Amino acid sequence: MLQHFSYKPMYDNTKLPGWTFAFFFRNTRYTGDYMPEGEIRWNGETPPEEDNVKKMIHELMTFHVYD
């Protein structure tokens, strides 16, 4: 389970798509970029169980950004 998930637009002009995000997973902090087409680019380490983590991020982004 992801903890303390946060995101913000990459650009000041919020009409331009793209978001940065951060969260904790198994007591380790991870950050990345969520691209408009749904691609995730990790900044630094890739979390374990990457496929499951990506699914959780997609669900959170869909709920918060695209609702």
Side-chain angles (χ1 to χ4, degrees):
M1 173 175 233
L2 306 182
Q3 297 177 332
H4 304 290
F5 183 83
S6 64
Y7 70 96
K8 65 179 182 176
M10 283 182 176
Y11 308 102
D12 290 334
N13 178 355
T14 57
K15 292 181 183 178
L16 293 173
W19 301 267
T20 60
F21 62 85
F23 62 90
F24 284 87
F25 182 70
R26 296 185 179 171
N27 298 322
T28 302
R29 186 172 191 266
Y30 297 96
T31 61
D33 299 326
Y34 190 86
M35 307 313 290
E37 65 279 353
E39 178 187 358
I40 294 174
R41 296 182 186 161
W42 298 107
N43 299 331
E45 275 189 58
T46 302
E49 302 177 34
E50 181 181 13
D51 290 338
N52 289 333
V53 170
K54 281 184 174 182
K55 287 178 187 175
M56 289 186 266
I57 292 170
H58 287 303
E59 288 176 11
L60 287 165
M61 293 302 289
T62 299
F63 179 77
H64 290 296
V65 175
Y66 295 113
D67 71 15

Short mmCIF file of all heavy atoms in Angstrom, two decimals:
data_model
loop_
_atom_site.label_atom_id
_atom_site.label_comp_id
_atom_site.label_asym_id
_atom_site.label_seq_id
_atom_site.Cartn_x
_atom_site.Cartn_y
_atom_site.Cartn_z
N MET A 1 0.84 -1.17 0.00
CA MET A 1 0.00 0.00 0.00
C MET A 1 0.89 1.24 0.00
O MET A 1 1.88 1.30 0.71
CB MET A 1 -0.91 -0.02 1.22
CG MET A 1 -1.71 1.23 1.39
SD MET A 1 -2.84 1.07 2.75
CE MET A 1 -4.32 1.51 1.90
N LEU A 2 0.50 2.22 -0.81
CA LEU A 2 1.24 3.47 -0.88
C LEU A 2 0.82 4.37 0.28
O LEU A 2 -0.36 4.44 0.61
CB LEU A 2 0.95 4.19 -2.19
CG LEU A 2 1.17 3.40 -3.48
CD1 LEU A 2 0.88 4.29 -4.68
CD2 LEU A 2 2.57 2.87 -3.54
N GLN A 3 1.77 5.04 0.86
CA GLN A 3 1.47 5.95 1.96
C GLN A 3 1.94 7.34 1.62
O GLN A 3 2.95 7.53 0.95
CB GLN A 3 2.16 5.47 3.24
CG GLN A 3 1.66 4.11 3.69
CD GLN A 3 2.41 3.64 4.92
OE1 GLN A 3 3.56 3.99 5.14
NE2 GLN A 3 1.75 2.83 5.72
N HIS A 4 1.21 8.32 2.11
CA HIS A 4 1.55 9.74 1.95
C HIS A 4 1.73 10.11 0.48
O HIS A 4 2.68 10.82 0.11
CB HIS A 4 2.79 10.11 2.75
CG HIS A 4 2.67 9.78 4.20
ND1 HIS A 4 1.84 10.46 5.04
CD2 HIS A 4 3.26 8.81 4.94
CE1 HIS A 4 1.93 9.94 6.25
NE2 HIS A 4 2.79 8.93 6.21
N PHE A 5 0.82 9.64 -0.37
CA PHE A 5 0.89 9.94 -1.80
C PHE A 5 0.58 11.40 -2.02
O PHE A 5 -0.41 11.93 -1.50
CB PHE A 5 -0.12 9.08 -2.57
CG PHE A 5 -0.06 9.28 -4.05
CD1 PHE A 5 0.88 8.62 -4.82
CD2 PHE A 5 -0.95 10.13 -4.69
CE1 PHE A 5 0.95 8.78 -6.19
CE2 PHE A 5 -0.90 10.31 -6.06
CZ PHE A 5 0.05 9.64 -6.80
N SER A 6 1.41 12.09 -2.78
CA SER A 6 1.17 13.49 -3.13
C SER A 6 1.56 13.70 -4.59
O SER A 6 2.39 12.97 -5.13
CB SER A 6 1.96 14.43 -2.23
OG SER A 6 3.35 14.25 -2.42
N TYR A 7 0.92 14.68 -5.20
CA TYR A 7 1.24 15.00 -6.59
C TYR A 7 1.05 16.49 -6.80
O TYR A 7 0.37 17.17 -6.02
CB TYR A 7 0.33 14.21 -7.55
CG TYR A 7 -1.10 14.68 -7.53
CD1 TYR A 7 -1.58 15.60 -8.46
CD2 TYR A 7 -1.98 14.22 -6.56
CE1 TYR A 7 -2.87 16.05 -8.41
CE2 TYR A 7 -3.28 14.66 -6.51
CZ TYR A 7 -3.72 15.57 -7.44
OH TYR A 7 -5.01 16.03 -7.38
N LYS A 8 1.67 17.01 -7.85
CA LYS A 8 1.48 18.42 -8.23
C LYS A 8 1.79 18.54 -9.71
O LYS A 8 2.53 17.72 -10.28
CB LYS A 8 2.37 19.34 -7.40
CG LYS A 8 3.85 19.16 -7.61
CD LYS A 8 4.63 20.14 -6.77
CE LYS A 8 6.13 19.96 -7.04
NZ LYS A 8 6.93 20.92 -6.34
N PRO A 9 1.24 19.55 -10.36
CA PRO A 9 1.53 19.76 -11.79
C PRO A 9 3.01 20.03 -12.01
O PRO A 9 3.68 20.65 -11.19
CB PRO A 9 0.70 20.99 -12.15
CG PRO A 9 -0.33 21.11 -11.08
CD PRO A 9 0.28 20.52 -9.84
N MET A 10 3.53 19.55 -13.14
CA MET A 10 4.93 19.80 -13.48
C MET A 10 5.17 21.26 -13.85
O MET A 10 6.27 21.76 -13.68
CB MET A 10 5.33 18.96 -14.69
CG MET A 10 5.59 17.54 -14.42
SD MET A 10 6.12 16.79 -15.99
CE MET A 10 6.49 15.17 -15.44
N TYR A 11 4.15 21.90 -14.36
CA TYR A 11 4.30 23.25 -14.91
C TYR A 11 3.37 24.21 -14.18
O TYR A 11 2.29 23.83 -13.72
CB TYR A 11 3.96 23.24 -16.40
CG TYR A 11 4.71 22.19 -17.17
CD1 TYR A 11 4.09 21.00 -17.54
CD2 TYR A 11 6.05 22.37 -17.50
CE1 TYR A 11 4.79 20.02 -18.23
CE2 TYR A 11 6.75 21.39 -18.18
CZ TYR A 11 6.11 20.23 -18.55
OH TYR A 11 6.80 19.26 -19.23
N ASP A 12 3.79 25.47 -14.11
CA ASP A 12 2.94 26.50 -13.49
C ASP A 12 1.64 26.66 -14.26
O ASP A 12 0.59 26.89 -13.67
CB ASP A 12 3.68 27.84 -13.43
CG ASP A 12 4.82 27.81 -12.42
OD1 ASP A 12 4.74 27.00 -11.47
OD2 ASP A 12 5.77 28.59 -12.59
N ASN A 13 1.71 26.56 -15.57
CA ASN A 13 0.52 26.65 -16.41
C ASN A 13 -0.16 25.29 -16.34
O ASN A 13 0.25 24.34 -16.99
CB ASN A 13 0.91 26.99 -17.84
CG ASN A 13 -0.29 27.04 -18.77
OD1 ASN A 13 -1.40 26.73 -18.38
ND2 ASN A 13 -0.06 27.42 -20.00
N THR A 14 -1.22 25.18 -15.55
CA THR A 14 -1.84 23.87 -15.32
C THR A 14 -2.53 23.31 -16.55
O THR A 14 -3.01 22.18 -16.52
CB THR A 14 -2.84 23.94 -14.16
OG1 THR A 14 -3.82 24.94 -14.45
CG2 THR A 14 -2.14 24.26 -12.85
N LYS A 15 -2.59 24.06 -17.64
CA LYS A 15 -3.16 23.53 -18.88
C LYS A 15 -2.20 22.55 -19.55
O LYS A 15 -2.61 21.75 -20.36
CB LYS A 15 -3.50 24.66 -19.84
CG LYS A 15 -4.65 25.52 -19.35
CD LYS A 15 -4.99 26.60 -20.33
CE LYS A 15 -6.08 27.49 -19.77
NZ LYS A 15 -6.40 28.58 -20.67
N LEU A 16 -0.93 22.64 -19.20
CA LEU A 16 0.05 21.70 -19.74
C LEU A 16 0.03 20.44 -18.89
O LEU A 16 0.16 20.50 -17.67
CB LEU A 16 1.46 22.31 -19.73
CG LEU A 16 1.67 23.50 -20.66
CD1 LEU A 16 3.05 24.10 -20.42
CD2 LEU A 16 1.52 23.07 -22.10
N PRO A 17 -0.16 19.29 -19.50
CA PRO A 17 -0.27 18.06 -18.71
C PRO A 17 1.08 17.54 -18.22
O PRO A 17 2.12 17.84 -18.80
CB PRO A 17 -0.89 17.08 -19.69
CG PRO A 17 -0.52 17.59 -21.04
CD PRO A 17 -0.38 19.09 -20.92
N GLY A 18 1.02 16.78 -17.18
CA GLY A 18 2.19 16.17 -16.57
C GLY A 18 2.22 16.51 -15.09
O GLY A 18 1.90 17.63 -14.70
N TRP A 19 2.55 15.52 -14.27
CA TRP A 19 2.55 15.70 -12.83
C TRP A 19 3.76 15.02 -12.22
O TRP A 19 4.23 14.02 -12.72
CB TRP A 19 1.28 15.09 -12.22
CG TRP A 19 0.04 15.69 -12.75
CD1 TRP A 19 -0.66 16.74 -12.22
CD2 TRP A 19 -0.66 15.33 -13.94
NE1 TRP A 19 -1.74 17.02 -13.01
CE2 TRP A 19 -1.77 16.18 -14.07
CE3 TRP A 19 -0.45 14.36 -14.91
CZ2 TRP A 19 -2.67 16.08 -15.12
CZ3 TRP A 19 -1.34 14.27 -15.98
CH2 TRP A 19 -2.44 15.13 -16.07
N THR A 20 4.24 15.58 -11.12
CA THR A 20 5.26 14.90 -10.34
C THR A 20 4.55 14.29 -9.13
O THR A 20 3.54 14.81 -8.66
CB THR A 20 6.35 15.87 -9.86
OG1 THR A 20 5.75 16.89 -9.06
CG2 THR A 20 7.09 16.50 -11.02
N PHE A 21 5.05 13.17 -8.65
CA PHE A 21 4.43 12.53 -7.51
C PHE A 21 5.49 11.99 -6.57
O PHE A 21 6.65 11.82 -6.94
CB PHE A 21 3.48 11.39 -7.95
CG PHE A 21 4.18 10.28 -8.68
CD1 PHE A 21 4.78 9.25 -7.99
CD2 PHE A 21 4.23 10.27 -10.07
CE1 PHE A 21 5.43 8.22 -8.66
CE2 PHE A 21 4.87 9.24 -10.74
CZ PHE A 21 5.47 8.21 -10.03
N ALA A 22 5.07 11.74 -5.34
CA ALA A 22 5.95 11.15 -4.33
C ALA A 22 5.08 10.31 -3.39
O ALA A 22 3.90 10.60 -3.19
CB ALA A 22 6.67 12.24 -3.55
N PHE A 23 5.68 9.29 -2.83
CA PHE A 23 4.98 8.43 -1.89
C PHE A 23 5.99 7.57 -1.14
O PHE A 23 7.15 7.50 -1.52
CB PHE A 23 3.95 7.53 -2.60
CG PHE A 23 4.57 6.58 -3.59
CD1 PHE A 23 4.97 5.31 -3.21
CD2 PHE A 23 4.76 6.96 -4.91
CE1 PHE A 23 5.56 4.44 -4.12
CE2 PHE A 23 5.33 6.10 -5.83
CZ PHE A 23 5.74 4.84 -5.44
N PHE A 24 5.52 6.93 -0.09
CA PHE A 24 6.31 5.95 0.64
C PHE A 24 5.74 4.57 0.38
O PHE A 24 4.52 4.39 0.36
CB PHE A 24 6.29 6.23 2.15
CG PHE A 24 7.16 7.39 2.54
CD1 PHE A 24 6.67 8.68 2.51
CD2 PHE A 24 8.47 7.18 2.94
CE1 PHE A 24 7.46 9.76 2.87
CE2 PHE A 24 9.27 8.25 3.31
CZ PHE A 24 8.77 9.54 3.26
N PHE A 25 6.62 3.61 0.17
CA PHE A 25 6.24 2.22 -0.01
C PHE A 25 7.26 1.38 0.73
O PHE A 25 8.46 1.46 0.45
CB PHE A 25 6.21 1.85 -1.50
CG PHE A 25 5.77 0.45 -1.79
CD1 PHE A 25 4.46 0.07 -1.59
CD2 PHE A 25 6.65 -0.48 -2.28
CE1 PHE A 25 4.03 -1.22 -1.86
CE2 PHE A 25 6.26 -1.77 -2.57
CZ PHE A 25 4.93 -2.15 -2.35
N ARG A 26 6.78 0.63 1.71
CA ARG A 26 7.66 -0.18 2.56
C ARG A 26 8.78 0.66 3.19
O ARG A 26 9.96 0.32 3.12
CB ARG A 26 8.24 -1.35 1.79
CG ARG A 26 7.19 -2.32 1.33
CD ARG A 26 7.81 -3.51 0.69
NE ARG A 26 6.76 -4.45 0.28
CZ ARG A 26 6.98 -5.50 -0.46
NH1 ARG A 26 8.19 -5.78 -0.88
NH2 ARG A 26 5.99 -6.30 -0.79
N ASN A 27 8.38 1.80 3.73
CA ASN A 27 9.27 2.72 4.45
C ASN A 27 10.36 3.35 3.59
O ASN A 27 11.36 3.84 4.12
CB ASN A 27 9.91 2.03 5.66
CG ASN A 27 8.88 1.58 6.67
OD1 ASN A 27 7.90 2.29 6.90
ND2 ASN A 27 9.06 0.42 7.24
N THR A 28 10.19 3.35 2.29
CA THR A 28 11.15 3.99 1.39
C THR A 28 10.38 5.01 0.54
O THR A 28 9.30 4.73 0.06
CB THR A 28 11.82 2.96 0.47
OG1 THR A 28 12.49 1.98 1.28
CG2 THR A 28 12.85 3.61 -0.44
N ARG A 29 10.98 6.19 0.37
CA ARG A 29 10.35 7.25 -0.42
C ARG A 29 10.72 7.08 -1.89
O ARG A 29 11.89 6.87 -2.23
CB ARG A 29 10.81 8.62 0.07
CG ARG A 29 10.09 9.77 -0.62
CD ARG A 29 10.46 11.08 0.05
NE ARG A 29 9.62 12.15 -0.40
CZ ARG A 29 9.92 12.98 -1.40
NH1 ARG A 29 11.08 12.86 -2.02
NH2 ARG A 29 9.09 13.93 -1.75
N TYR A 30 9.71 7.21 -2.76
CA TYR A 30 9.90 7.14 -4.20
C TYR A 30 9.28 8.37 -4.84
O TYR A 30 8.29 8.90 -4.34
CB TYR A 30 9.24 5.88 -4.78
CG TYR A 30 9.83 4.60 -4.24
CD1 TYR A 30 9.25 3.94 -3.18
CD2 TYR A 30 10.98 4.07 -4.81
CE1 TYR A 30 9.80 2.77 -2.67
CE2 TYR A 30 11.54 2.90 -4.30
CZ TYR A 30 10.94 2.26 -3.24
OH TYR A 30 11.50 1.11 -2.74
N THR A 31 9.89 8.82 -5.93
CA THR A 31 9.35 9.95 -6.68
C THR A 31 9.38 9.62 -8.16
O THR A 31 10.13 8.75 -8.61
CB THR A 31 10.19 11.23 -6.43
OG1 THR A 31 11.52 11.00 -6.89
CG2 THR A 31 10.19 11.63 -4.97
N GLY A 32 8.56 10.33 -8.90
CA GLY A 32 8.53 10.12 -10.33
C GLY A 32 7.68 11.16 -11.03
O GLY A 32 7.15 12.08 -10.41
N ASP A 33 7.56 10.99 -12.32
CA ASP A 33 6.75 11.86 -13.17
C ASP A 33 5.66 11.02 -13.82
O ASP A 33 5.92 9.92 -14.30
CB ASP A 33 7.61 12.50 -14.26
CG ASP A 33 8.72 13.36 -13.68
OD1 ASP A 33 8.50 13.98 -12.63
OD2 ASP A 33 9.79 13.42 -14.30
N TYR A 34 4.46 11.55 -13.81
CA TYR A 34 3.32 10.90 -14.45
C TYR A 34 3.01 11.68 -15.71
O TYR A 34 2.62 12.84 -15.65
CB TYR A 34 2.12 10.89 -13.50
CG TYR A 34 0.97 10.04 -13.96
CD1 TYR A 34 0.94 8.69 -13.66
CD2 TYR A 34 -0.07 10.57 -14.70
CE1 TYR A 34 -0.11 7.89 -14.08
CE2 TYR A 34 -1.13 9.78 -15.12
CZ TYR A 34 -1.14 8.44 -14.80
OH TYR A 34 -2.18 7.65 -15.21
N MET A 35 3.22 11.07 -16.84
CA MET A 35 3.06 11.74 -18.13
C MET A 35 1.59 11.67 -18.58
O MET A 35 0.83 10.81 -18.12
CB MET A 35 3.98 11.09 -19.17
CG MET A 35 5.44 11.02 -18.73
SD MET A 35 6.10 12.56 -18.04
CE MET A 35 6.16 13.56 -19.50
N PRO A 36 1.17 12.57 -19.46
CA PRO A 36 -0.24 12.65 -19.87
C PRO A 36 -0.79 11.34 -20.46
O PRO A 36 -1.97 11.04 -20.27
CB PRO A 36 -0.27 13.75 -20.93
CG PRO A 36 1.02 14.44 -20.85
CD PRO A 36 1.99 13.59 -20.09
N GLU A 37 0.04 10.56 -21.11
CA GLU A 37 -0.43 9.31 -21.71
C GLU A 37 -0.42 8.16 -20.71
O GLU A 37 -0.72 7.01 -21.06
CB GLU A 37 0.38 8.96 -22.96
CG GLU A 37 1.84 8.67 -22.72
CD GLU A 37 2.73 9.89 -22.57
OE1 GLU A 37 2.26 11.03 -22.79
OE2 GLU A 37 3.90 9.71 -22.20
N GLY A 38 -0.06 8.44 -19.43
CA GLY A 38 -0.07 7.43 -18.39
C GLY A 38 1.28 6.78 -18.13
O GLY A 38 1.39 5.92 -17.26
N GLU A 39 2.29 7.20 -18.86
CA GLU A 39 3.63 6.65 -18.63
C GLU A 39 4.18 7.16 -17.31
O GLU A 39 3.97 8.32 -16.94
CB GLU A 39 4.57 7.08 -19.76
CG GLU A 39 5.99 6.61 -19.59
CD GLU A 39 6.95 7.19 -20.62
OE1 GLU A 39 6.51 7.93 -21.51
OE2 GLU A 39 8.14 6.90 -20.51
N ILE A 40 4.87 6.30 -16.59
CA ILE A 40 5.49 6.68 -15.32
C ILE A 40 7.00 6.63 -15.50
O ILE A 40 7.55 5.62 -15.93
CB ILE A 40 5.05 5.73 -14.19
CG1 ILE A 40 3.55 5.92 -13.93
CG2 ILE A 40 5.88 5.96 -12.94
CD1 ILE A 40 2.97 4.96 -12.94
N ARG A 41 7.64 7.74 -15.16
CA ARG A 41 9.11 7.82 -15.21
C ARG A 41 9.60 8.00 -13.78
O ARG A 41 9.26 8.98 -13.12
CB ARG A 41 9.54 9.02 -16.05
CG ARG A 41 9.12 8.91 -17.50
CD ARG A 41 9.61 10.09 -18.29
NE ARG A 41 9.07 10.04 -19.64
CZ ARG A 41 9.02 11.08 -20.45
NH1 ARG A 41 9.47 12.25 -20.06
NH2 ARG A 41 8.51 10.95 -21.66
N TRP A 42 10.38 7.06 -13.33
CA TRP A 42 10.88 7.09 -11.96
C TRP A 42 12.07 8.03 -11.86
O TRP A 42 12.93 8.07 -12.73
CB TRP A 42 11.30 5.69 -11.51
CG TRP A 42 10.16 4.73 -11.52
CD1 TRP A 42 9.95 3.72 -12.41
CD2 TRP A 42 9.05 4.70 -10.62
NE1 TRP A 42 8.79 3.07 -12.11
CE2 TRP A 42 8.22 3.64 -11.02
CE3 TRP A 42 8.69 5.46 -9.51
CZ2 TRP A 42 7.04 3.33 -10.35
CZ3 TRP A 42 7.53 5.14 -8.85
CH2 TRP A 42 6.71 4.09 -9.26
N ASN A 43 12.14 8.76 -10.77
CA ASN A 43 13.30 9.61 -10.44
C ASN A 43 14.08 8.85 -9.37
O ASN A 43 13.73 8.88 -8.21
CB ASN A 43 12.86 10.97 -9.89
CG ASN A 43 12.05 11.75 -10.90
OD1 ASN A 43 12.22 11.59 -12.10
ND2 ASN A 43 11.14 12.56 -10.42
N GLY A 44 15.10 8.16 -9.77
CA GLY A 44 15.87 7.37 -8.82
C GLY A 44 15.45 5.91 -8.86
O GLY A 44 15.17 5.35 -9.92
N GLU A 45 15.38 5.31 -7.68
CA GLU A 45 15.08 3.88 -7.56
C GLU A 45 13.68 3.53 -8.05
O GLU A 45 12.75 4.31 -7.91
CB GLU A 45 15.17 3.46 -6.09
CG GLU A 45 16.54 3.09 -5.63
CD GLU A 45 16.47 2.48 -4.25
OE1 GLU A 45 15.78 1.46 -4.07
OE2 GLU A 45 17.12 3.04 -3.36
N THR A 46 13.56 2.32 -8.58
CA THR A 46 12.27 1.76 -8.94
C THR A 46 11.79 0.92 -7.76
O THR A 46 12.56 0.13 -7.21
CB THR A 46 12.41 0.87 -10.19
OG1 THR A 46 12.95 1.66 -11.25
CG2 THR A 46 11.08 0.29 -10.61
N PRO A 47 10.54 1.07 -7.36
CA PRO A 47 10.07 0.29 -6.21
C PRO A 47 9.94 -1.20 -6.51
O PRO A 47 9.76 -1.59 -7.66
CB PRO A 47 8.70 0.90 -5.91
CG PRO A 47 8.27 1.55 -7.15
CD PRO A 47 9.51 1.95 -7.89
N PRO A 48 10.03 -2.02 -5.46
CA PRO A 48 9.77 -3.45 -5.66
C PRO A 48 8.30 -3.62 -6.05
O PRO A 48 7.47 -2.76 -5.75
CB PRO A 48 10.07 -4.06 -4.29
CG PRO A 48 9.97 -2.94 -3.32
CD PRO A 48 10.30 -1.69 -4.07
N GLU A 49 7.99 -4.72 -6.70
CA GLU A 49 6.62 -4.97 -7.17
C GLU A 49 6.15 -3.82 -8.05
O GLU A 49 5.04 -3.31 -7.91
CB GLU A 49 5.66 -5.16 -6.00
CG GLU A 49 6.02 -6.30 -5.07
CD GLU A 49 5.07 -6.39 -3.90
OE1 GLU A 49 3.88 -6.09 -4.07
OE2 GLU A 49 5.54 -6.77 -2.82
N GLU A 50 7.00 -3.41 -8.98
CA GLU A 50 6.75 -2.22 -9.80
C GLU A 50 5.39 -2.27 -10.49
O GLU A 50 4.68 -1.25 -10.53
CB GLU A 50 7.86 -2.04 -10.83
CG GLU A 50 7.67 -0.81 -11.69
CD GLU A 50 8.74 -0.63 -12.74
OE1 GLU A 50 9.52 -1.57 -12.99
OE2 GLU A 50 8.79 0.46 -13.32
N ASP A 51 5.00 -3.40 -11.04
CA ASP A 51 3.72 -3.47 -11.75
C ASP A 51 2.54 -3.17 -10.82
O ASP A 51 1.62 -2.44 -11.20
CB ASP A 51 3.54 -4.85 -12.40
CG ASP A 51 4.48 -5.06 -13.57
OD1 ASP A 51 4.96 -4.05 -14.15
OD2 ASP A 51 4.75 -6.22 -13.91
N ASN A 52 2.56 -3.71 -9.61
CA ASN A 52 1.49 -3.44 -8.65
C ASN A 52 1.49 -1.98 -8.22
O ASN A 52 0.43 -1.37 -8.07
CB ASN A 52 1.61 -4.35 -7.42
CG ASN A 52 1.26 -5.78 -7.74
OD1 ASN A 52 0.48 -6.06 -8.66
ND2 ASN A 52 1.83 -6.70 -7.00
N VAL A 53 2.66 -1.41 -8.01
CA VAL A 53 2.77 -0.01 -7.61
C VAL A 53 2.24 0.88 -8.72
O VAL A 53 1.51 1.84 -8.47
CB VAL A 53 4.22 0.34 -7.23
CG1 VAL A 53 4.39 1.83 -7.04
CG2 VAL A 53 4.65 -0.41 -5.97
N LYS A 54 2.58 0.57 -9.97
CA LYS A 54 2.09 1.36 -11.09
C LYS A 54 0.56 1.35 -11.16
O LYS A 54 -0.07 2.37 -11.41
CB LYS A 54 2.66 0.86 -12.41
CG LYS A 54 4.07 1.29 -12.68
CD LYS A 54 4.52 0.81 -14.05
CE LYS A 54 5.88 1.34 -14.42
NZ LYS A 54 6.29 0.92 -15.77
N LYS A 55 -0.04 0.19 -10.91
CA LYS A 55 -1.50 0.10 -10.90
C LYS A 55 -2.10 1.01 -9.84
O LYS A 55 -3.09 1.70 -10.09
CB LYS A 55 -1.95 -1.34 -10.66
CG LYS A 55 -1.73 -2.25 -11.85
CD LYS A 55 -2.15 -3.67 -11.53
CE LYS A 55 -1.76 -4.61 -12.66
NZ LYS A 55 -2.04 -6.01 -12.34
N MET A 56 -1.49 1.03 -8.66
CA MET A 56 -1.99 1.88 -7.58
C MET A 56 -1.85 3.36 -7.95
O MET A 56 -2.76 4.16 -7.68
CB MET A 56 -1.26 1.58 -6.27
CG MET A 56 -1.63 0.24 -5.67
SD MET A 56 -0.88 -0.01 -4.05
CE MET A 56 0.62 -0.89 -4.52
N ILE A 57 -0.74 3.73 -8.58
CA ILE A 57 -0.54 5.12 -8.99
C ILE A 57 -1.56 5.51 -10.05
O ILE A 57 -2.16 6.59 -9.96
CB ILE A 57 0.90 5.33 -9.50
CG1 ILE A 57 1.89 5.18 -8.35
CG2 ILE A 57 1.05 6.71 -10.16
CD1 ILE A 57 3.34 5.14 -8.77
N HIS A 58 -1.79 4.65 -11.04
CA HIS A 58 -2.78 4.94 -12.07
C HIS A 58 -4.16 5.16 -11.46
O HIS A 58 -4.87 6.09 -11.84
CB HIS A 58 -2.84 3.82 -13.11
CG HIS A 58 -1.68 3.78 -14.04
ND1 HIS A 58 -1.29 4.85 -14.82
CD2 HIS A 58 -0.79 2.79 -14.31
CE1 HIS A 58 -0.22 4.52 -15.53
NE2 HIS A 58 0.09 3.27 -15.24
N GLU A 59 -4.54 4.33 -10.50
CA GLU A 59 -5.84 4.48 -9.85
C GLU A 59 -5.93 5.81 -9.11
O GLU A 59 -6.94 6.51 -9.21
CB GLU A 59 -6.09 3.32 -8.89
CG GLU A 59 -6.38 2.01 -9.58
CD GLU A 59 -6.52 0.86 -8.61
OE1 GLU A 59 -6.60 1.10 -7.37
OE2 GLU A 59 -6.55 -0.29 -9.07
N LEU A 60 -4.88 6.16 -8.37
CA LEU A 60 -4.89 7.42 -7.63
C LEU A 60 -4.93 8.62 -8.56
O LEU A 60 -5.67 9.58 -8.32
CB LEU A 60 -3.67 7.50 -6.71
CG LEU A 60 -3.71 6.60 -5.49
CD1 LEU A 60 -2.33 6.49 -4.87
CD2 LEU A 60 -4.71 7.13 -4.48
N MET A 61 -4.15 8.58 -9.62
CA MET A 61 -4.13 9.70 -10.56
C MET A 61 -5.47 9.83 -11.28
O MET A 61 -5.96 10.95 -11.48
CB MET A 61 -2.98 9.55 -11.55
CG MET A 61 -1.60 9.68 -10.93
SD MET A 61 -1.32 11.26 -10.07
CE MET A 61 -1.22 12.37 -11.44
N THR A 62 -6.06 8.73 -11.65
CA THR A 62 -7.36 8.78 -12.31
C THR A 62 -8.39 9.41 -11.37
O THR A 62 -9.18 10.25 -11.78
CB THR A 62 -7.82 7.36 -12.71
OG1 THR A 62 -6.86 6.84 -13.63
CG2 THR A 62 -9.17 7.39 -13.38
N PHE A 63 -8.36 9.03 -10.12
CA PHE A 63 -9.31 9.54 -9.15
C PHE A 63 -9.09 11.04 -8.89
O PHE A 63 -10.04 11.81 -8.86
CB PHE A 63 -9.19 8.76 -7.83
CG PHE A 63 -10.11 9.25 -6.76
CD1 PHE A 63 -11.45 8.94 -6.78
CD2 PHE A 63 -9.63 10.03 -5.72
CE1 PHE A 63 -12.31 9.38 -5.80
CE2 PHE A 63 -10.47 10.49 -4.72
CZ PHE A 63 -11.81 10.17 -4.76
N HIS A 64 -7.85 11.47 -8.69
CA HIS A 64 -7.57 12.85 -8.31
C HIS A 64 -7.48 13.83 -9.47
O HIS A 64 -7.87 14.98 -9.34
CB HIS A 64 -6.26 12.91 -7.51
CG HIS A 64 -6.35 12.31 -6.16
ND1 HIS A 64 -7.15 12.80 -5.16
CD2 HIS A 64 -5.76 11.21 -5.62
CE1 HIS A 64 -7.05 12.06 -4.08
NE2 HIS A 64 -6.21 11.07 -4.34
N VAL A 65 -6.94 13.40 -10.59
CA VAL A 65 -6.68 14.33 -11.68
C VAL A 65 -7.78 14.32 -12.74
O VAL A 65 -8.16 15.36 -13.25
CB VAL A 65 -5.31 14.02 -12.33
CG1 VAL A 65 -5.07 14.88 -13.55
CG2 VAL A 65 -4.19 14.21 -11.33
N TYR A 66 -8.27 13.15 -13.07
CA TYR A 66 -9.18 13.04 -14.19
C TYR A 66 -10.64 12.93 -13.79
O TYR A 66 -11.48 12.60 -14.59
CB TYR A 66 -8.81 11.83 -15.05
CG TYR A 66 -7.47 11.96 -15.71
CD1 TYR A 66 -6.41 11.14 -15.34
CD2 TYR A 66 -7.26 12.92 -16.69
CE1 TYR A 66 -5.17 11.27 -15.96
CE2 TYR A 66 -6.02 13.05 -17.30
CZ TYR A 66 -4.98 12.23 -16.93
OH TYR A 66 -3.76 12.35 -17.53
N ASP A 67 -10.99 13.19 -12.52
CA ASP A 67 -12.39 13.02 -12.13
C ASP A 67 -13.30 14.07 -12.69
O ASP A 67 -13.05 15.06 -13.18
CB ASP A 67 -12.55 12.95 -10.62
CG ASP A 67 -12.31 14.27 -9.90
OD1 ASP A 67 -12.29 15.30 -10.58
OD2 ASP A 67 -12.16 14.25 -8.68
#
